[in-house]
């Protein structure tokens, strides 16, 4: 009977029953070089796989006869959310779908969840703010602090609800499978270009409309380097490789709202981030794209809670593919998850409608998991 099992890979996002269906739809539509950027991780991709395995290995001991299921909504940083989820910051979103950042933001606005805009987004801060989404802005700290300050000020004026500083990307991870597709820094190899030509839907929807640039960085890019690949190289060189804890003091001088530090991978660093003025942290290994061998973020949550207590805001990312993963993260002690690839699969599959379908799948599965778990703990109990 297993020969009858296959994922849906057509064009109608309403027929997707799981994030895996949206992934299949996306990988059918995308050329290889874009799919590799979306899917790939660092080096041997052990951490990428471990992120998924950490959620897959979790087991609940559900309780029964407990009455009505608990509500799905939470309160996060003073905001009521319908489910414990924030869309993570991701770059090059317009490679997946034309104006991809705006499609993500509009779908997030309809679902009532925050959308975190990346420094290397392809839409401007002001364009994303105009969608009406709960808008968070992610910052890469550049050597030129003046450029970073200008971005933070624009986010403040646009009404961004939180500033998210990424601290685990001061060096660029070795993503060899992605690099093999390019001739140097500026051009795809011919096989990759020919493969792109065999994806006419993507060519018409993305390539023909002009390859996207980093809209918020145009004021800082050297003349002649505003193209996609040259500007990506500029970003890698502009990020401060000597980043230290003083960045949080700098951030507090320029930002008075909620401040979140993303990329924490050790309990002591979690405590230090809060001591230096952060309002919350994101436990993250950058989706397995930086250090291969880093712990899955989910595996850190219990130790971080032991170190910090119950009050500080703790989010976790990496490996979220099912609504039950939200329940697992909550049971471990996280307040919410950030997800990047799950919503990007929806974007690459069907644009805004695909993102909306991804969010609705996660919400439906989370509500079902909550009802079936009925407050039962992960098993074996933590500390056993």
């Amino acid at each position: 009977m297993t020969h009858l099992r296959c994922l849906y890979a057509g064009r109608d996002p309403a027929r997707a029953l799981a994030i895996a269906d949206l992934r299949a739809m996306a990988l059918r539509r995308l050329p290889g070089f874009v799919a590799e950027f979306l899917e790939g991780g660092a080096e041997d991709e052990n951490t990428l796989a471990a992120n998924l395995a950490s959620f897959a290995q979790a087991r609940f001991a559900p309780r029964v006869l407990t009455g009505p299921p608990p509500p799905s909504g939470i309160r996060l940083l003073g905001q009521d959310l319908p489910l414990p989820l924030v869309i993570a910051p991701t770059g090059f979103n317009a490679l997946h779908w034309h104006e991809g950042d705006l499609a993500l933001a509009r779908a997030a606005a309809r679902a009532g969840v925050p959308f975190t805009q990346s420094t290397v987004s392809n839409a401007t801060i002001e364009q994303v703010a105009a969608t009406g989404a709960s808008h968070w802005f992610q910052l890469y700290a550049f050597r030129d602090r003046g450029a970073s300050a200008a971005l933070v000020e624009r986010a403040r004026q646009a009404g961004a609800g939180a500033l998210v500083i990424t601290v685990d990307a001061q060096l660029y991870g070795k993503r060899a499978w992605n690099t093999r597709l390019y001739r140097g820094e500026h051009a795809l190899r011919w096989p990759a270009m020919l493969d792109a030509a065999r994806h006419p839907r993507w060519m018409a929807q993305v390539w023909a409309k002009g390859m996207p640039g980093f809209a918020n960085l145009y004021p800082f890019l050297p003349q002649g380097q505003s193209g996609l690949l040259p500007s990506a190289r500029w970003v890698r060189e502009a990020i401060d490789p000597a980043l230290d804890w003083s960045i949080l003091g700098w951030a507090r001088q320029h930002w008075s709202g909620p401040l979140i530090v993303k990329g924490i991978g050790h309990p002591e660093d979690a405590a230090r981030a809060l001591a230096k003025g952060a309002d919350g942290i994101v436990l993250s290994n950058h989706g397995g794209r930086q250090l291969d061998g880093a712990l899955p973020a989910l595996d850190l949550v219990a130790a971080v809670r032991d170190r910090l207590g119950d009050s500080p805001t703790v989010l976790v990312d990496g490996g979220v593919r099912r609504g039950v993963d939200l329940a697992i993260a909550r049971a471990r002690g996280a307040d919410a998850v950030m997800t990047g690839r799950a919503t990007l699969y929806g974007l690459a599959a069907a644009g805004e409608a695909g993102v909306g379908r991804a969010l609705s799948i996660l919400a439906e599965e989370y509500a079902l998991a909550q009802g079936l778990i009925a407050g039962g703990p992960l098993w074996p109990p933590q500390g056993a």
Side-chain angles (χ1 to χ4, degrees), residues 9-344:
R11 300 188 185 186
D12 181 4
R15 293 186 60 185
L17 300 181
I19 298 299
D21 291 311
L22 294 171
R23 177 177 179 268
M25 294 168 65
L27 295 183
R28 181 180 179 185
R29 177 180 167 272
L30 293 177
F33 82 97
V34 183
E36 182 59 59
F37 176 74
L38 170 59
E39 289 278 86
E43 300 182 4
D44 293 319
E45 301 183 333
N46 292 317
T47 292
L48 178 66
N51 286 342
L52 294 165
S54 184
F55 280 103
Q57 292 164 3
R59 296 291 182 270
F60 281 98
R63 305 302 299 270
V64 297
L65 303 177
T66 58
S72 296
I74 66 162
R75 190 163 181 81
L76 185 71
L77 295 173
Q79 181 180 359
D80 291 322
L81 304 182
L83 71 162
L85 181 144
V86 175
I87 296 181
T90 53
F92 292 103
N93 290 334
L95 272 181
H96 307 304
W97 195 272
H98 182 62
E99 297 187 339
D101 293 284
L102 301 183
L104 284 159
R106 287 191 291 261
R110 285 201 313 276
V113 300
F115 167 67
T116 313
Q117 181 183 12
S118 171
T119 292
V120 290
S121 66
N122 305 120
T124 67
I125 293 170
E126 294 76 14
Q127 286 175 316
V128 170
T131 65
S134 175
H135 179 201
W136 294 8
F137 183 71
Q138 175 269 338
L139 181 72
Y140 286 123
F142 295 142
R143 301 172 195 256
D144 178 0
R145 292 289 194 268
S148 296
L151 291 171
V152 172
E153 176 59 18
R154 284 177 61 188
R156 186 192 68 78
Q157 292 188 11
L163 179 67
V164 180
I165 297 185
T166 295
V167 296
D168 64 345
Q170 73 277 18
L171 301 174
Y172 193 73
K174 184 179 180 182
R175 304 167 196 172
W177 289 111
N178 189 67
T179 303
R180 288 185 176 100
L181 298 172
Y182 292 86
R183 293 180 286 121
E185 294 282 350
H186 299 289
L188 286 168
R189 295 187 182 278
W190 283 110
M193 294 179 68
L194 291 172
D195 174 70
R198 289 194 288 267
H199 292 78
R201 286 196 293 143
W202 179 88
M203 291 289 290
Q205 212 277 330
V206 175
W207 188 278
K209 295 180 180 180
M211 292 300 286
F214 299 141
N216 292 303
L217 302 183
Y218 288 154
F220 317 118
L221 294 173
Q223 187 173 2
Q225 292 192 27
S226 60
L228 181 64
L229 295 178
S231 58
R233 180 180 182 181
W234 179 90
V235 169
R236 290 200 295 271
E237 295 174 348
I239 291 175
D240 187 353
L243 202 63
D244 61 27
W245 288 102
S246 66
I247 190 62
L248 298 190
W250 175 91
R252 271 299 173 216
Q253 292 175 0
H254 294 83
W255 180 262
S256 59
L259 177 64
I260 301 168
V261 179
K262 182 177 183 292
I264 297 293
H266 192 284
E268 292 303 315
D269 284 347
R272 193 166 185 182
L274 294 169
K276 292 287 185 178
D279 296 295
I281 61 167
V282 183
L283 301 175
S284 173
N285 55 46
H286 216 95
R289 295 162 71 83
Q290 286 292 91
L291 173 65
D292 200 25
L295 278 170
L298 182 67
D299 292 354
L300 283 164
V301 179
V304 167
R305 278 298 181 207
D306 286 345
R307 181 67 177 81
L308 302 183
D310 295 334
S311 297
T313 297
V314 175
L315 287 81
V316 62
D317 79 357
V320 173
R321 299 291 188 275
R322 286 281 189 181
V324 72
D325 295 340
L326 280 63
I328 292 167
R330 294 272 292 171
R332 283 280 174 90
D335 293 290
V337 304
M338 272 191 168
T339 184
R341 287 185 176 95
T343 43
L344 287 181

